[in-house]
Amino acid sequence: MYFLLGGLSSSLLYYFNCEGIFDGFYPYFFLNPNGEISSGVGSYSNDAAFIAVFLFVYIMLSFLLIILNRILMNGDNKKDIFDN
């Protein structure tokens, strides 16, 4: 199934590039070979900020899942691996 999605995405990129050659419209700035790259794209400060924000979000989600697990597994719901 995943190889079908990969083939679909590469086919769409090929279609967009061919269409862009004829009518000059590219749906994404990074597909346009003649256009300029937007300011701030690929800068180290933007990349570091992006990584820091997502790191913070993932850490908060992991703590939330740990707390939720402890709440749900409190009391009689706890099972030991050695219990029958």
Side-chain angles (χ1 to χ4, degrees), residues 5-16:
L5 294 176
L8 179 63
S9 63
S10 62
S11 299
L12 284 174
L13 283 175
Y14 180 73
Y15 170 76
F16 287 142

Side-chain angles (χ1 to χ4, degrees), residues 28-82:
Y28 304 106
F29 69 90
F30 51 84
L31 291 178
N32 188 355
N34 301 321
E36 293 194 18
I37 297 176
S38 305
S39 63
V41 173
S43 67
Y44 289 119
S45 59
N46 285 349
D47 290 343
F50 183 80
I51 290 169
V53 167
F54 273 91
L55 178 66
F56 178 75
V57 168
Y58 285 134
I59 289 172
M60 289 298 114
L61 283 175
S62 65
F63 281 130
L64 186 92
L65 287 174
I66 290 170
I67 291 169
L68 185 65
N69 185 29
R70 289 184 180 176
I71 290 171
L72 292 176
M73 297 303 284
N74 194 9
D76 293 335
N77 292 335
K78 239 184 236 184
K79 291 193 177 190
D80 195 2
I81 58 172
F82 299 111

